[in-house]
Amino acid sequence: MIGNSPAVDAALKRFEGLYPEVIHLSLGRVQTALEALGRPQDRLPPVIHVAGTNGKGSTCAFMRAMAEAAGLKVHVFTSPHLVRFNERIRLAGEIVDDARLIGWLDRTYEAIRGQEITHFEATTATAMLAFSEVPADLLILEVGLGGRYDATNVIDDPALCVITPVDFDHKAFLGSDLRKIAGEKAGIIRYGRPVLSAIQRKVCDDVIAAEAAQMKAPHYRLKAHFIDAMPEDLGLIGEHQRANAALAAMAMQLFGNSTRITQDAIFEGARTATWPARMQRLKPGPLTALVPGVELWLDGGHNPHAARAIARHLKQQPGKTVLVSAMLASKDATGFFLPFRYLKPDVFTVPNAPGHRAAEPEALAEAARTAGLEAVTCESLEAGLKAAAATGADRILICGSLYLAGEVLAANGEPPV
């Protein structure tokens, strides 16, 4: 199966011995690492910093496509990866190759040897080092978790901060108070630097506005006419992607002052953007061969907000859809399945990708039943696909986990490029 090269795995594994005994959200550890590396965060191209609960990856993908359509060289940092760690670091348009990645990982390890640091913090420092040494016109920097204490939040003077829709997720770290969650996301706002916000629930909008006012940061909100102006043939599928494309378009106009990045480039990028595991139809491969004659789709959405968007899209599709799902144990499984209750898809629950705290298939099936759906447990992804196809469905949607999505793309021979 496709995955990290053994050499990349070995370079990454050395960071595992540096974990603190108790992991808490903090900037101190990553700041110490960056000091040891010579403060690469001070030598970056202009940064667009992106936080939020849903749509971060898609918005980043649209922004990259729009900026590249305008002829800009674009770095991108995203997480988690799906198949290979390299996907997290895109240098001037290309996913980092093994040789350079290993070199930067080695340098980071030597600089921080003996320091307590999390894996994400160490690899974020590595990404900063890489971005500082390869010329580009723009760095799109996606928050990993939260915002205020996320390892990416070490940029003092971003060109623009973007906050995508805020909702519930990562409750173990961010809690279940939406106001506090919004406050964590708004923590990326910097003094005097512009911030652009998606259409938000009022409680979240109020928090973001208050933070922007306190930081004297010009606050822009996504306008409905930007959504209406997006082309019909977007590169990413689903009505919800129109709002993500519009947010990216407005960000590009704010970043480029409406001159450097033209409307033609914005529309071209909206049409050509790609982002794996977001309503992605799988190509012919080993997994699709298991379900001949059935459309096989993949979406990594894993919280209620994402499920609502998926369900709205499926409602518009003809024929019968069934779900094959896995999820982390920490996720709100019932909340994820509730938006599907009017569509009544059969649900087949499977084990998640190994190495993660996965929900047991039976517990996940019970959550689906609580949401009013029929659910069956299966011993493997392959068994789930075959059982789903046996229902006579027109399409199967694999959903609920980015880790499962990565396993699916690897198994079907479709790694992100």
Side-chain angles (χ1 to χ4, degrees):
M1 186 180 287
I2 302 166
N4 291 333
S5 72
V8 169
D9 270 337
L12 290 167
K13 195 169 184 61
R14 291 180 301 174
F15 293 127
E16 294 179 4
L18 303 178
Y19 286 0
E21 287 188 14
V22 178
I23 297 175
H24 61 279
L25 296 178
S26 166
L27 291 178
R29 294 183 297 266
V30 72
Q31 287 171 336
T32 299
L34 290 167
E35 289 291 336
L37 289 167
R39 295 187 60 83
Q41 73 271 30
D42 295 339
R43 302 188 300 277
L44 299 174
V47 174
I48 296 180
H49 199 187
V50 184
T53 305
N54 286 288
K56 295 195 302 294
S58 296
T59 301
C60 289
F62 278 121
M63 286 194 293
R64 175 172 77 88
M66 292 169 182
E68 289 180 343
L72 303 187
K73 291 183 177 179
V74 185
H75 294 332
V76 188
F77 182 67
T78 56
S79 62
H81 61 277
L82 294 174
V83 178
R84 297 186 303 145
F85 178 87
N86 308 52
E87 298 162 27
R88 298 183 182 219
I89 302 173
R90 187 176 289 271
L91 297 170
E94 302 292 334
I95 291 175
V96 64
D97 59 90
D98 285 356
R100 289 194 295 172
L101 174 60
I102 291 167
W104 281 310
L105 288 169
D106 287 346
R107 287 169 58 189
T108 301
Y109 179 74
E110 291 302 322
I112 65 174
R113 188 199 296 262
Q115 176 186 331
E116 282 197 342
I117 193 167
T118 69
H119 197 278
F120 182 73
E121 290 162 348
T123 52
T124 298
T126 300
M128 297 287 184
L129 181 61
F131 294 138
S132 74
E133 295 184 353
V134 176
D137 301 301
L138 167 65
L139 165 58
I140 299 171
L141 186 66
E142 181 191 2
V143 164
L145 190 156
R148 188 175 303 276
Y149 297 110
D150 183 75
T152 64
N153 200 26
V154 293
I155 307 300
D156 293 328
D157 193 29
L160 176 67
C161 297
V162 176
I163 302 178
T164 69
V166 175
D167 211 292
F168 298 105
D169 202 4
H170 298 293
K171 290 185 179 180
F173 285 100
L174 302 180
S176 55
D177 183 325
L178 201 54
R179 180 176 292 277
K180 290 182 179 178
I181 294 171
E184 289 301 307
K185 310 295 185 183
I188 69 168
I189 298 173
R190 287 292 181 268
Y191 189 86
R193 304 309 300 152
V195 56
L196 169 64
S197 177
I199 296 171
Q200 306 280 0
R201 299 190 194 195
K202 185 178 187 305
V203 62
C204 299
D205 185 75
D206 289 346
V207 170
I208 294 166
E211 183 79 14
Q214 182 176 344
M215 300 297 286
K216 293 183 169 35
H219 182 200
Y220 302 89
R221 294 175 174 87
L222 175 62
K223 303 298 185 184
H225 69 266
F226 271 81
I227 301 175
D228 295 336
M230 287 300 100
E232 292 298 323
D233 52 339
L234 292 179
L236 302 182
I237 295 173
E239 187 63 24
H240 59 290
Q241 294 293 1
R242 295 182 63 78
N244 293 331
L247 187 67
M250 195 167 174
M252 288 297 95
Q253 291 206 344
L254 289 171
F255 174 76
N257 292 322
S258 302
T259 55
R260 194 175 181 195
I261 299 175
T262 66
Q263 187 176 78
D264 285 346
I266 285 172
F267 283 1
E268 181 183 345
R271 293 187 179 99
T272 59
T274 61
W275 191 234
R278 276 69 176 182
M279 286 312 298
Q280 175 183 356
R281 185 172 178 179
L282 298 181
K283 297 176 181 177
L287 288 186
T288 54
L290 296 175
V291 291
V294 182
E295 295 179 6
L296 190 56
W297 291 78
L298 176 66
D299 195 288
H302 48 262
N303 56 41
H305 186 278
R308 290 193 293 272
I310 296 168
R312 283 196 299 270
H313 174 70
L314 292 177
K315 187 177 180 181
Q316 300 170 3
Q317 307 310 307
K320 179 180 179 180
T321 303
V322 297
L323 307 182
V324 172
S325 184
M327 205 169 291
L328 294 182
S330 59
K331 300 301 180 182
D332 178 6
T334 301
F336 178 84
F337 288 119
L338 274 171
F340 298 101
R341 63 192 181 278
Y342 299 117
L343 295 172
K344 296 291 184 183
D346 295 327
V347 178
F348 298 87
T349 62
V350 300
N352 209 336
H356 307 285
R357 290 187 60 251
E360 291 295 327
E362 181 52 45
L364 196 57
E366 188 55 39
R369 294 178 193 120
T370 300
L373 305 177
E374 296 290 332
V376 176
T377 61
C378 300
E379 62 182 12
S380 67
L381 172 62
E382 292 77 7
L385 290 174
K386 291 177 181 178
T391 65
D394 298 281
R395 75 187 58 80
I396 299 169
L397 175 65
I398 305 171
C399 60
S401 168
L402 283 170
Y403 298 111
L404 174 65
E407 185 179 61
V408 167
L409 292 173
N412 206 50
E414 294 189 63
V417 295

